[in-house]
Amino acid sequence: MAAPHYALASGTARVTGSRLITLLTDFGLDDPYVGVLKAVLLRDCPTGRIVDLSHAVAPYDRLSAAFWIDRACAWFPAGTVHVVVVDPGVGSARRAVAIAAHDQVFIGPDNGVLTGIFTRDARAEARQIIPSALGLPLPSRTFHGRDVFAPVAARLAEGSLAFEEVGDLVASLCEAVLPAVVEHADTWTGQVVTVDRFGNALTNLPQPQTTAAFEVRVVGRKLSVVGTYAERAVGEIFAVFGSFGTLELAMREGHAASALGVVQGTPVVLCPTA
Amino acid sequence: MAAPHYALASGTARVTGSRLITLLTDFGLDDPYVGVLKAVLLRDCPTGRIVDLSHAVAPYDRLSAAFWIDRACAWFPAGTVHVVVVDPGVGSARRAVAIAAHDQVFIGPDNGVLTGIFTRDARAEARQIIPSALGLPLPSRTFHGRDVFAPVAARLAEGSLAFEEVGDLVASLCEAVLPAVVEHADTWTGQVVTVDRFGNALTNLPQPQTTAAFEVRVVGRKLSVVGTYAERAVGEIFAVFGSFGTLELAMREGHAASALGVVQGTPVVLCPTA
Amino acid sequence: MAAPHYALASGTARVTGSRLITLLTDFGLDDPYVGVLKAVLLRDCPTGRIVDLSHAVAPYDRLSAAFWIDRACAWFPAGTVHVVVVDPGVGSARRAVAIAAHDQVFIGPDNGVLTGIFTRDARAEARQIIPSALGLPLPSRTFHGRDVFAPVAARLAEGSLAFEEVGDLVASLCEAVLPAVVEHADTWTGQVVTVDRFGNALTNLPQPQTTAAFEVRVVGRKLSVVGTYAERAVGEIFAVFGSFGTLELAMREGHAASALGVVQGTPVVLCPTA
């Protein structure tokens, strides 16, 4: 049986300036932090187009950020520059990096969020960002999104900075925060990685490349895997391979995570139907 | 006495490519669903301009969505393409439709949200969207916003798809979810259709075309109709014809809906002052 | 010892059309109010670029709005047009104004939110907006953001209206809502002006221009002033001069405001280390 795999395209590490910039942060939208980050992006890349992936990552929740950048980037064109800032270590010695992978660029702290993106593309390159080496003003010690990541992203999107000029190559990154799926005897064990607005509990379990039938074991319960929400009655709980390619625990017009009592990190097992 | 009416312009069902695209969904902004939808829009319409109407419609709340698209579209220029996705039936047999009405285009599931838009313009046309007939990849079964509605919206905004090419004409749509106002003996009975951030309870009762004086009856109380919030003292509850043309129950610097105990569906009666 | 000061550049009161427009409101993102405001902006300035500073100012919280526009505008290029609408007095006799200051334009009600912006630039000019004098339709009495402030902002950004044409000069504005810092015997007394998403309590106390060491007194506690969050252990409470130049009370990976029990208005004292 083929091992499950993610569907991200792997391509050349060279990118072109698409001027499309995405943002994925835990800044929230309550305060003007995102707006000021955009001020810097548009100052340095006046024709850039900015897409908010999310600013509602729970504060310091690196796992959800790692999952979502991994899943969402596949929908963006080559050359897109992604800025990912969930950074409890801002101001510490953690490195700032830019990664060319999957024909796109990913910028953020080297804290495990972007490691999966890097390791999954054999031709990926990571480079360390040293603000002073790029002629950037001395950054504040608390807002590197604005002072480091945004200026570099804007220059790459604008084309005024080539990826090779970002800084020295980095051979390896921090350990990935997105856990690997464990395979054992036709059974895959993953976990809940994030819960979405609708209460769907999204897991890191990709769809097996097989026609065999599967079921799901979670918190002592057995759930069947269905094709779509509409196949089930309102209030029923089930599993479904969601629109981003991984298994989700869902409840028709209800909040599956609350109903099941699962949270980020809850183990989820995908196994052949008994 | 003239019947109350909505102020939407009715025009030709033909539209031109304004490249302005609006989004009204229940996706929330916590997860990257909206960002990925925008990735598809900008991939297929690179010069498109996207305006978020709201992504905070309560999950599956078709009535609020129907009210707001009805009220908000009047402020957008001819040719605007509106994508409205509040879709508890995603993956079921419900149709996907594009509607040309009021010189604009409205795209979403045929589940009653867009029916009022369609029926109020005598020259409106609705066409069924069949993804495969348009050469779109097989959509996921859970995210038609990304896989069906966004590609069609982008092609229409870009001008690479003419409205006549979307699909076959549809003669009628599902029953409207936005209830009609009932007139009886100079008295109009409507209901609360949504509650806004400030606690204003917005109703479907439009302003009568008359100079007669009115008052409002709701949950056993009588409220007077004033011209603006500032006419009343802080904490006072009253009714006002709001900035979108329908009656609102409001409280000066307070939360009227909570104070009155009204929710979506609560009957509201507008009658001549006794 | 030099008095503390804000770092905003002061420049000519004349502005040029950058077509960059920012929005800072208490409208929230739940309802389509912001989307409709953008419809008007793009109708009247089709090539305008809009940046949301925040729409999550607490309803009627003029102090937070005054603080944030004061702090955020420094990051935007000359010619940016800022629309600031926190307006409990909409529909009353309060004036609508446009202010040219710091090489930018600020538009909103004259209710104290923009007064600090105005008074801190000796060359600033304020002009009263009379909608009818500008040929604008009679505004609604409840949504001046859409009907008054957005059309004027769009025309200024588009360049179809010169700042001198906005209306008559206004000599003085309402009293500022952002309180001044009080200096007494090398000690500065300010207050918490807003609490951000991370629980940081932001104050109006700017960084003293001195190399002396300081400490902070708040709610009977003494806090040390550190350089960055990462210097402290998780759960520790401290003070830091934040990325917008004023003192913040912070807790490493925790909610400082809740832990300390401080709210908007709580006095905060900055004094030399004993």
Side-chain angles (χ1 to χ4, degrees):
Chain A
M1 188 182 293
H5 72 280
Y6 287 103
L8 271 189
S10 175
T12 164
R14 297 297 172 278
V15 296
T16 56
S18 76
R19 310 203 169 182
L20 194 59
I21 302 168
T22 82
L23 303 175
L24 177 62
T25 79
D26 64 355
F27 296 170
L29 290 173
D30 286 0
D31 315 300
Y33 300 137
V34 171
V36 168
L37 197 151
K38 291 178 180 176
V40 172
L41 288 174
L42 293 175
R43 178 195 72 194
D44 292 349
C45 181
T47 60
R49 314 206 64 177
I50 303 168
V51 171
D52 298 297
L53 276 179
S54 172
H55 299 290
V57 175
Y60 322 123
D61 177 6
R62 294 178 296 147
L63 176 48
S64 291
F67 174 75
W68 276 123
I69 191 61
D70 183 275
R71 301 286 87 201
C73 70
W75 297 94
F76 287 86
T80 299
V81 177
H82 303 279
V83 178
V84 185
V85 190
V86 176
D87 193 13
V90 64
S92 71
R94 66 101 186 90
R95 295 183 296 197
V97 292
I99 299 165
H102 314 289
D103 288 325
Q104 301 178 337
V105 173
F106 304 81
I107 296 176
D110 175 23
N111 62 8
V113 170
L114 295 175
T115 304
I117 291 282
F118 176 67
T119 54
R120 209 165 48 257
D121 181 351
R123 286 174 291 181
E125 281 184 15
R127 292 179 179 275
Q128 184 171 5
I129 299 168
I130 307 281
S132 59
L134 294 171
L136 297 175
L138 187 67
S140 72
R141 290 201 277 181
T142 53
F143 195 1
H144 286 191
R146 177 191 68 192
D147 300 336
V148 179
F149 302 122
V152 173
R155 284 161 173 73
L156 286 168
E158 180 75 5
S160 62
L161 178 71
F163 183 75
E164 291 73 16
E165 301 168 337
V166 165
D168 290 339
L169 281 172
V170 171
S172 66
L173 299 177
C174 279
E175 187 182 1
V177 293
L178 189 60
V181 169
V182 176
E183 183 184 358
H184 178 70
D186 282 358
T187 291
W188 288 273
T189 302
Q191 59 177 253
V192 173
V193 288
T194 199
V195 175
D196 78 7
R197 175 195 207 207
F198 297 90
N200 300 313
L202 283 68
T203 80
N204 60 340
L205 286 158
Q207 189 154 16
Q209 301 299 299
T210 166
T211 56
F214 286 88
E215 62 187 24
V216 169
R217 306 276 171 83
V218 60
V219 290
R221 293 181 59 159
K222 191 188 299 188
L223 301 179
S224 56
V225 180
V226 305
T228 183
Y229 305 138
E231 285 179 24
R232 292 299 159 120
V234 171
E236 220 175 320
I237 300 177
F238 53 91
V240 62
F241 284 99
S243 52
F244 287 88
T246 67
L247 191 80
E248 301 178 18
L249 314 180
M251 182 176 181
R252 178 86 194 276
E253 296 187 32
H255 197 288
S258 298
L260 286 168
V262 300
V263 296
Q264 189 181 70
T266 300
V268 181
V269 176
L270 182 67
C271 53
T273 301
Chain B
M1 188 183 293
H5 72 280
Y6 288 102
L8 273 189
S10 175
T12 162
R14 297 297 174 280
V15 295
T16 56
S18 76
R19 308 202 172 184
L20 195 59
I21 302 169
T22 83
L23 303 175
L24 177 61
T25 79
D26 63 355
F27 296 170
L29 291 173
D30 287 359
D31 315 298
Y33 300 137
V34 171
V36 168
L37 198 150
K38 291 177 179 175
V40 171
L41 288 173
L42 292 175
R43 179 193 71 194
D44 292 349
C45 182
T47 58
R49 315 208 62 178
I50 303 169
V51 171
D52 298 297
L53 277 178
S54 172
H55 300 289
V57 175
Y60 323 122
D61 177 6
R62 295 178 294 148
L63 176 49
S64 290
F67 174 74
W68 276 123
I69 190 61
D70 183 275
R71 302 286 85 202
C73 70
W75 298 93
F76 287 86
T80 298
V81 177
H82 303 278
V83 179
V84 184
V85 190
V86 177
D87 193 14
V90 63
S92 72
R94 65 100 188 89
R95 295 182 297 196
V97 291
I99 299 165
H102 314 288
D103 287 325
Q104 301 178 337
V105 173
F106 304 81
I107 295 177
D110 175 22
N111 62 9
V113 170
L114 296 175
T115 303
I117 291 282
F118 176 67
T119 55
R120 210 167 47 258
D121 181 350
R123 285 174 293 179
E125 280 184 14
R127 292 180 180 273
Q128 183 172 6
I129 299 168
I130 308 280
S132 59
L134 293 172
L136 296 175
L138 187 68
S140 72
R141 290 200 276 180
T142 54
F143 196 1
H144 286 191
R146 176 191 69 192
D147 300 337
V148 178
F149 302 122
V152 172
R155 284 162 173 73
L156 286 169
E158 180 75 4
S160 62
L161 178 72
F163 183 75
E164 291 73 16
E165 300 168 337
V166 165
D168 289 339
L169 282 172
V170 171
S172 66
L173 299 177
C174 279
E175 189 182 359
V177 293
L178 189 60
V181 169
V182 176
E183 182 183 1
H184 178 71
D186 281 358
T187 291
W188 288 273
T189 302
Q191 59 177 253
V192 173
V193 287
T194 199
V195 175
D196 77 8
R197 175 194 209 208
F198 296 89
N200 300 313
L202 283 69
T203 79
N204 60 339
L205 286 159
Q207 188 153 16
Q209 302 298 300
T210 165
T211 56
F214 285 88
E215 63 188 22
V216 169
R217 306 276 171 84
V218 61
V219 291
R221 292 181 60 158
K222 192 188 297 188
L223 301 178
S224 57
V225 181
V226 306
T228 183
Y229 306 138
E231 285 179 24
R232 291 299 158 121
V234 171
E236 217 174 323
I237 300 177
F238 52 90
V240 62
F241 284 99
S243 52
F244 287 88
T246 66
L247 190 80
E248 301 178 18
L249 314 181
M251 183 176 180
R252 178 89 195 273
E253 296 186 33
H255 197 287
S258 298
L260 286 168
V262 300
V263 296
Q264 187 181 71
T266 299
V268 181
V269 176
L270 183 67
C271 52
T273 301
Chain C
M1 188 182 293
H5 71 280
Y6 288 102
L8 271 189
S10 176
T12 161
R14 296 298 173 277
V15 295
T16 57
S18 74
R19 308 201 173 184
L20 196 57
I21 302 169
T22 83
L23 303 176
L24 177 61
T25 79
D26 64 355
F27 296 171
L29 290 174
D30 287 359
D31 314 300
Y33 300 136
V34 171
V36 168
L37 196 150
K38 290 178 180 176
V40 172
L41 289 172
L42 293 175
R43 179 194 70 193
D44 292 348
C45 182
T47 59
R49 314 206 62 177
I50 303 169
V51 172
D52 298 297
L53 277 178
S54 173
H55 300 289
V57 175
Y60 324 122
D61 176 7
R62 294 177 294 148
L63 177 48
S64 291
F67 174 74
W68 276 123
I69 190 62
D70 184 274
R71 299 286 88 199
C73 70
W75 298 93
F76 287 86
T80 298
V81 177
H82 303 278
V83 179
V84 185
V85 189
V86 177
D87 192 13
V90 62
S92 72
R94 66 99 187 91
R95 294 183 295 195
V97 291
I99 299 165
H102 316 288
D103 288 325
Q104 301 178 338
V105 173
F106 304 81
I107 296 177
D110 174 23
N111 62 9
V113 170
L114 295 174
T115 303
I117 291 283
F118 176 67
T119 55
R120 210 166 47 258
D121 181 350
R123 286 175 291 180
E125 280 184 15
R127 291 179 180 274
Q128 184 171 5
I129 299 168
I130 307 280
S132 60
L134 294 171
L136 297 175
L138 186 67
S140 72
R141 290 200 276 182
T142 53
F143 196 0
H144 286 191
R146 177 191 69 192
D147 300 336
V148 179
F149 302 121
V152 172
R155 284 161 174 72
L156 286 168
E158 179 75 6
S160 62
L161 178 72
F163 183 75
E164 291 73 15
E165 301 167 336
V166 166
D168 289 339
L169 282 172
V170 171
S172 66
L173 299 177
C174 279
E175 189 183 359
V177 292
L178 189 60
V181 169
V182 177
E183 182 183 0
H184 178 70
D186 281 357
T187 291
W188 288 273
T189 302
Q191 60 177 254
V192 173
V193 288
T194 199
V195 175
D196 78 8
R197 176 193 207 209
F198 297 89
N200 299 313
L202 284 68
T203 78
N204 60 339
L205 285 159
Q207 188 154 16
Q209 302 298 300
T210 167
T211 56
F214 286 88
E215 62 187 23
V216 169
R217 306 276 171 83
V218 60
V219 289
R221 293 182 58 159
K222 193 189 297 188
L223 301 179
S224 58
V225 181
V226 305
T228 183
Y229 304 138
E231 284 180 25
R232 291 300 159 119
V234 170
E236 219 175 321
I237 300 176
F238 52 91
V240 61
F241 284 99
S243 53
F244 288 88
T246 67
L247 191 80
E248 301 177 18
L249 313 181
M251 182 177 182
R252 178 89 193 275
E253 297 188 29
H255 197 287
S258 298
L260 285 168
V262 301
V263 296
Q264 188 180 71
T266 299
V268 181
V269 176
L270 182 67
C271 53
T273 301

